[in-house]
């Protein structure tokens, strides 16, 4: 019989439990509350179970019960990139960051080719394994949440503050925590494309390099307060790439494919189209 061993954590829209099956295998069970259940959510969960990539948290099964969506996914034992960044006492080496960037671009390339946009890429949704290989979690789940992308003329902190009244303070801080990773066109309620993930990844890379949040508030994003890239820790090439990822105009951001190509070039490791970057040292 399967049993729930403990709670692994809580996010803005649900709770994650550690599940153990009869054969002692462990999984993560994510319960997403849906204030507005939509048929699309199930379609998207189905697409998720069909995804298979070495740097993507595998989703094995999903089902809907009442107004909640249950997702059974791979259990990641080593914590998130967010935890990892918080633990660091010294800057990470650029080559370590580039390696993760290659793996993350590879995931985005895979998802975008399937017309899936992650929409909630942030260090809390990226897991690390023992070899410091990354796994992206929470794909598509962002779609199952109260729809933050289709309301109001401009999403402001005040708007969110208002929304948060329905949530506990922990959940509320998780929502506001995710917002500064979202691109200006999302906050501006403009049409958005897969380039929103490239922006978010730019925020993650800058955070890995500086160990500081790229943007602390939505206001900073809207004002395009692009932080200074310290030259003592950034190479010129990575600085340029991150600035391109953080272009206000989505068309000026590299797509995931060229991002992978450019990041591999800075790393100095040849990348052949179609290769996975899994076999790096
Ligand atoms: P949000 O809901 O806004 O994405 P979040 O990513 O922090 O915020 P969840 O995805 O609900 O929240 O996850 C909550 C916590 O549970 C995570 O921070 C992580 O510590 C843990 N967790 C989630 N998924 C897994 C997993 N597959 N394996 C191990 N731990 C997990
Ligand atoms: Mg998450
Ligand atoms: Mg999430």
């Amino acid at each position: 019989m399967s049993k729930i061993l403990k709670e692994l954590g809580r996010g803005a829209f649900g709770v994650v439990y550690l599940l153990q099956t009869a054969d002692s295998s462990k999984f993560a069970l994510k319960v997403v509350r849906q204030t507005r259940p939509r048929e699309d959510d199930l379609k998207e969960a189905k697409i998720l179970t069909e995804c298979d990539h070495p740097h993507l948290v595998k989703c094995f099964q999903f089902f809907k019960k009442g107004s909640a969506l249950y997702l059974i996914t791979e259990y990641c034992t080593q914590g998130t990139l967010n935890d990892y960044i918080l633990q660091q006492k010294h800057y990470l080496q650029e080559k370590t960051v580039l390696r993760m960037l290659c793996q993350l671009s590879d995931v985005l390339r895979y998802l975008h080719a399937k017309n899936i946009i992650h929409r909630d890429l942030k260090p809390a949704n990226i897991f690390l394994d023992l070899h410091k290989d990354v796994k992206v979690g929470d794909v598509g789940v962002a779609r199952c949440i109260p729809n933050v992308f289709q309301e109001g003329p401009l999403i402001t902190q005040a708007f969110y503050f208002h929304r948060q009244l329905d949530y506990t303070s922990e959940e509320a801080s998780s929502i506001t925590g995710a917002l500064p990773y979202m691109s200006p066109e999302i906050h501006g309620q403009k049409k958005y494309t897969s380039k929103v993930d490239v922006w978010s990844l730019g925020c993650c890379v800058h955070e890995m390099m500086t160990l500081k949040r790229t943007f602390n508030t939505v206001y900073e994003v809207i004002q395009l307060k692009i932080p200074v890239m310290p030259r003592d820790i950034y190479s010129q090439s990575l600085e340029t790439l991150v600035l391109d990822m953080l272009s206000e105009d989505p068309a000026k951001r590299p797509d995931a494919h060229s991002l992978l190509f450019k990041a591999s070039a800075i790393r100095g490791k040849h990348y052949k189209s179609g290769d996975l970057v899994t076999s790096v040292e």
Side-chain angles (χ1 to χ4, degrees), residues 70-99:
Y70 294 74
L71 298 140
I72 298 176
T73 71
E74 182 180 345
Y75 169 46
C76 307
T77 55
Q78 303 301 310
T80 68
L81 179 60
N82 196 43
D83 307 327
Y84 184 68
I85 290 171
L86 290 173
Q87 285 157 14
Q88 300 310 307
K89 292 198 175 64
H90 303 285
Y91 290 129
L92 295 173
Q93 287 193 316
E94 190 174 284
K95 68 172 193 194
T96 306
V97 176
L98 280 168
R99 182 171 176 274

Side-chain angles (χ1 to χ4, degrees), residues 147-165 179 189:
N147 204 328
V148 295
F149 305 116
Q150 286 171 6
E151 287 179 35
L154 185 72
I155 297 179
T156 60
Q157 291 282 30
F159 173 68
Y160 270 89
F161 190 72
H162 164 73
R163 284 202 76 108
Q164 285 162 21
L165 298 177
L179 290 175
Q189 300 295 302

Side-chain angles (χ1 to χ4, degrees), residues 7 22 33 51 59-60 92 139 160 185 203 225 252 267:
E7 185 180 307
R33 274 175 298 125
C51 285
C59 179
F60 298 102
L92 295 173
V139 184
Y160 270 89
E185 67 271 21
C203 295
K225 291 195 184 300
K252 296 205 172 114
R267 260 186 98 216

Side-chain angles (χ1 to χ4, degrees), residues 99-110:
R99 182 171 176 274
M100 290 184 193
L101 172 58
C102 284
Q103 297 181 343
L104 293 165
S105 318
D106 197 26
V107 174
L108 290 188
R109 195 176 58 118
Y110 175 85

Side-chain angles (χ1 to χ4, degrees), residues 13 30 120 122 125 138 141-142:
F13 305 103
K30 180 157 185 163
D120 192 21
K122 56 176 180 173
N125 280 338
D138 268 6
V141 174

